[in-house]
Amino acid sequence: MTRPDKWDIRFIGLAKHVSQWSKDPSTQVGAVIVDQKHRVISLGFNGFARGVRDLAERLENREMKYDMIIHAERNAVLFANAPVDGASVYVWPLLPCAQCAATLIQAGGSEIVAPAADSDRAERWAAQIILARTMFEEAGIKVFELENYPVN
């Protein structure tokens, strides 16, 4: 299948929309999990756990934020209303980190679709992206990084 197709555009657009729900001041991430019939199983964005206050001092302290935040991909798996086995996962604005890659693999996702990271994110997240790609490859998960897809 040639990428991107109309479904990729729709679901990446939805992941981008969902990412805007995040209160993270530096990187807003959205994830959409879709079954093989193009039905949305779940949505997720990066944020604190239910009931944990989104205080500015927590969100602006990178170390604290990283310890407290649940990534979009994990939130989407946690809130899935159907099995994730064989599902496609659309992530905005870049590939999942290594821990989210492990979660998606363990949940049974079959493919990951994300825009190619812009130069700033590609540099900042290089080690995580490389590790995630390696894990996906070893687990037999297809990865599609959409080139020329507008990240902004």
Side-chain angles (χ1 to χ4, degrees):
M1 176 158 97
T2 304
R3 295 288 180 146
D5 68 10
K6 69 179 182 180
W7 292 106
D8 292 329
I9 301 302
R10 290 173 179 157
F11 292 128
I12 283 290
L14 182 55
K16 181 179 181 180
H17 176 74
V18 170
S19 76
Q20 297 170 20
W21 301 345
S22 171
K23 294 180 181 176
D24 189 327
S26 62
T27 305
Q28 296 177 313
V29 179
V32 177
I33 302 176
V34 179
D35 72 12
Q36 295 172 352
K37 293 183 179 179
H38 305 294
R39 295 176 298 196
V40 174
I41 294 172
S42 189
L43 306 171
F45 58 92
N46 55 323
F48 293 151
R50 184 179 328 162
V52 176
R53 291 181 286 171
D54 295 315
L55 302 175
E57 59 266 20
R58 292 174 176 173
L59 288 165
E60 293 168 5
N61 178 326
R62 191 173 292 274
E63 188 174 316
M64 182 183 294
K65 175 180 70 174
Y66 286 161
D67 285 342
M68 296 179 72
I69 207 158
I70 300 174
H71 289 189
E73 302 90 335
R74 284 189 177 168
N75 261 332
V77 169
L78 287 169
F79 289 105
N81 61 15
V84 176
D85 281 336
S88 299
V89 182
Y90 293 83
V91 182
W92 180 270
L94 69 163
L95 283 176
C97 70
Q99 286 297 310
C100 288
T103 299
L104 295 171
I105 291 165
Q106 197 69 4
S110 67
E111 68 178 20
I112 309 299
V113 183
D118 61 34
S119 59
D120 176 53
R121 288 186 179 104
E123 183 177 324
R124 187 169 30 144
W125 293 100
Q128 287 290 313
I129 291 171
I130 290 167
L131 189 53
R133 281 186 191 131
T134 300
M135 293 169 67
F136 287 136
E137 183 178 336
E138 289 177 13
I141 308 298
K142 298 175 195 164
V143 175
F144 299 95
E145 290 181 83
L146 305 180
E147 297 290 336
N148 303 318
Y149 191 86
V151 176
N152 295 323

